[in-house]
Amino acid sequence: MNKRELQLKAFDRLLTIMDELREQCPWDKKQTLQTLRHLTIEETYELGDAILENDLKEVKNELGDLLLHIVFYARIGSETNSFDIADVANSICDKLINRHPHIYGDVSVTSEEDVKRNWENIKLKEGKKSVLEGVPNSLPALVKANRIQEKVAGVGFDWERPEQVFEKVNEELSELQEEVNAGNRDKLEAEFGDVLFSIVNYARFLDVNPENALERTNKKFIKRFQYLESKAKEQKRTLKDMSLAEMDVFWEEAKKI
């Protein structure tokens, strides 16, 4: 791998190119923090896809795209003397040092859980009013549920054993079925949310990332369904013309691929 000198040289090259683009390219000159925001979110999801596929070449490429965005934001910030890339880097360096007293101070830890607990407690000492302040409002609901549970667990608000969480899942499923039988749409939706929240919690106790798990299932379903579509096309038929029994034959074939 590249030595530190070459890494810094590559980063300096990117900063120089960013300066040139911002000064000379009509598109780059027009961009603002707001116009870049949705593009950054898109790039983040593309990185997530590459990681799930374990495509390291694409991971490298997508990391480059995200790094460009970080440099772009810093360049825009420097134009109003708000911050530049050095401020960005020093800010995260200071935060990491402050929140790792077991590395840069005299605090002792014995486990990953100790580290997480210290992290959340330090954030509160920094002026945070709630451990949940660090959970972005715009996160997708499934990801947000996972982060909420991780945050509160970091300060000790958590179940003790996985079996307790599984019991909670079953309890919530029972309450959901009661509302299904009652036919109250508003309460049904609320109970369905409780079921999802409890399942996300159980996934955490099993050390399973629920977002990754669901996306794996999404990809698996897409692959099998597209196989089904291709088989129907081979027979010059549409899925609407096929019975469920006929479709199930090809679905079982797809599961073996």
Side-chain angles (χ1 to χ4, degrees), residues 63-80:
L63 283 172
D65 290 341
L66 272 182
L67 182 57
L68 169 62
H69 279 241
I70 292 169
V71 169
F72 211 148
Y73 287 124
R75 166 63 200 229
I76 293 172
S78 71
E79 293 167 3
T80 56

Side-chain angles (χ1 to χ4, degrees), residues 5-243:
E5 180 183 356
L6 292 178
Q7 293 172 349
L8 293 174
K9 185 177 180 180
F11 191 65
D12 180 67
R13 181 187 178 202
L14 176 59
L15 292 175
T16 300
I17 292 173
M18 184 72 257
D19 288 341
E20 292 170 347
L21 294 178
R22 186 66 173 170
E23 294 164 5
Q24 301 175 37
C25 174
W27 186 87
D28 289 282
K29 288 166 68 173
K30 288 180 61 177
Q31 301 313 305
T32 65
L33 299 179
Q34 290 71 31
T35 61
L36 288 174
R37 177 181 176 275
H38 76 281
L39 297 175
T40 306
I41 294 172
E42 182 180 320
E43 295 294 354
T44 304
Y45 276 109
E46 290 178 1
L47 172 62
D49 285 344
I51 292 172
L52 281 178
E53 295 292 337
N54 198 30
D55 187 337
L56 297 185
K57 180 179 179 181
E58 276 307 299
V59 169
K60 177 197 70 175
N61 292 337
E62 297 302 340
L63 283 172
D65 290 341
L66 272 182
L67 182 57
L68 169 62
H69 279 241
I70 292 169
V71 169
F72 211 148
Y73 287 124
R75 166 63 200 229
I76 293 172
S78 71
E79 293 167 3
T80 56
N81 293 318
S82 301
F83 58 87
D84 63 14
I85 194 66
D87 296 319
V88 172
N90 282 324
S91 176
I92 187 59
C93 287
D94 292 342
K95 181 186 292 185
L96 289 172
I97 290 172
N98 186 51
R99 294 186 184 176
H100 288 78
H102 53 290
I103 303 296
Y104 302 102
D106 55 5
V107 173
S108 297
V109 297
T110 58
S111 67
E112 176 188 355
E113 294 307 314
D114 287 345
V115 174
K116 290 180 179 179
R117 193 173 299 109
N118 285 341
W119 182 282
E120 296 302 338
N121 288 331
I122 291 170
K123 287 173 67 176
L124 290 175
K125 291 178 181 178
E126 291 173 347
K128 301 287 186 182
K129 296 180 180 179
S130 168
V131 296
L132 297 179
E133 282 187 20
V135 180
N137 290 328
S138 57
L139 277 180
L142 185 68
V143 179
K144 184 186 290 186
N146 195 45
R147 291 298 292 140
I148 288 171
Q149 293 165 9
E150 288 178 340
K151 292 284 187 181
V152 299
V155 292
F157 188 77
D158 204 2
W159 299 92
E160 295 179 348
R161 302 185 308 278
E163 309 88 75
Q164 296 172 310
V165 190
F166 190 65
E167 288 176 9
K168 184 63 176 176
V169 171
N170 286 324
E171 177 186 321
E172 296 296 352
L173 282 169
S174 178
E175 292 177 3
L176 172 62
Q177 189 59 54
E178 288 178 11
E179 296 306 331
V180 170
N181 295 337
N184 186 312
R185 297 297 302 176
D186 184 61
K187 290 184 177 180
L188 191 156
E189 182 178 279
E191 291 299 339
F192 198 91
D194 290 347
V195 169
L196 291 176
F197 194 84
S198 62
I199 288 176
V200 169
N201 213 3
Y202 189 49
R204 183 172 58 85
F205 269 80
L206 297 178
D207 197 25
V208 170
N209 183 294
E211 175 74 11
N212 291 349
L214 182 57
E215 184 58 16
R216 285 184 62 178
T217 296
N218 288 340
K219 289 180 178 296
K220 179 170 61 179
F221 184 91
I222 289 170
K223 181 179 179 181
R224 292 175 181 176
F225 189 79
Q226 289 177 339
Y227 177 86
L228 177 59
E229 288 178 313
S230 68
K231 286 299 181 180
K233 189 174 182 180
E234 286 178 9
Q235 295 185 356
K236 295 182 171 35
R237 303 173 67 187
T238 67
L239 295 181
K240 290 183 178 180
D241 297 330
M242 301 174 67
S243 67

